[in-house]
Amino acid sequence: CSSSSVTVENLSTNKVRLTDSNGKVYNLKLTKSGSGEEYTGGGVSIHIKGNDAVFTKAGSDESCYMTGNGNSSSNNQSSSRSEERRVGK
């Protein structure tokens, strides 16, 4: 994002774990969105559409760009996958 990055890890089809640039971890749930995916919880949210994202914390929005880190794995549950995406400027 503007001057930092956050990591978004998919935990399931409707949950992600977001780690901000300070190392604070947030478990977010999928909420309704007009387009794309929006996850909220713990006073933060991230709205992802394609490779673009908006990270909101303390009422402040930051535009971001999604990049993959190549570390993805799957387990035996089709609804649960672990994939990390970095969100940066």
Side-chain angles (χ1 to χ4, degrees):
C1 300
S2 298
S3 60
S4 60
S5 66
V6 298
T7 301
V8 178
E9 179 184 1
N10 290 328
L11 300 176
S12 68
T13 56
N14 63 349
K15 295 180 184 176
V16 298
R17 177 178 296 129
L18 183 143
T19 306
D20 69 14
S21 59
N22 295 320
K24 180 144 174 75
V25 176
Y26 301 90
N27 291 307
L28 310 179
K29 292 183 179 180
L30 182 65
T31 59
K32 292 205 180 227
S33 173
S35 63
E37 302 171 351
E38 185 171 12
Y39 299 89
T40 61
V44 302
S45 69
I46 189 157
H47 184 192
I48 303 166
K49 185 173 181 183
N51 286 329
D52 296 316
V54 175
F55 175 56
T56 304
K57 182 176 179 180
S60 178
D61 293 341
E62 292 187 63
S63 294
C64 309
Y65 184 78
M66 303 290 289
T67 60
N69 70 358
N71 291 336
S72 65
S73 62
S74 61
N75 60 24
N76 293 333
Q77 298 177 342
S78 61
S79 65
S80 183
R81 64 189 172 111
S82 177
E83 176 185 344
E84 287 188 12
R85 296 181 278 179
R86 265 219 182 302
V87 181
K89 63 176 185 173

